[in-house]
Amino acid sequence: MSAHRTEQSQAEPAELADFVTRTATEHNIPGASVGVWADGRETFAGHGVTSIENPLPVDEDTLRREDGGPPVHR
């Protein structure tokens, strides 16, 4: 995986969402989330489910654990 940022352009939310969905699908990842803070603006994209065993949708309320454990919803 690689992400690019040029001085001329910054990823828009729809582009980030497309990238996350395409990359997770390509690598057979059931769920992923990405948050970006750049130029004073926060952008979020989520795809899929929190886990196969407990398939809640990944969204802006999904909390990721630092220890690598399963994600949780608030």
Side-chain angles (χ1 to χ4, degrees):
M1 284 189 301
S2 66
H4 306 288
R5 179 172 177 209
T6 64
E7 293 303 315
Q8 294 89 2
S9 66
Q10 180 177 340
E12 293 299 318
E15 292 173 307
L16 181 61
D18 289 345
F19 173 78
V20 171
T21 297
R22 185 175 60 253
T23 303
T25 301
E26 178 182 326
H27 294 280
N28 204 26
I29 298 169
S33 60
V34 175
V36 177
W37 179 266
D39 300 324
R41 190 173 77 171
E42 180 180 359
T43 305
F44 167 83
H47 165 79
V49 295
T50 56
S51 73
I52 294 171
E53 296 81 24
N54 186 24
L56 298 172
V58 172
D59 62 21
E60 64 275 0
D61 292 324
T62 303
L63 301 175
R64 296 284 175 179
R65 294 173 41 169
E66 289 183 25
D67 65 1
V72 296
H73 268 261
R74 298 192 240 190

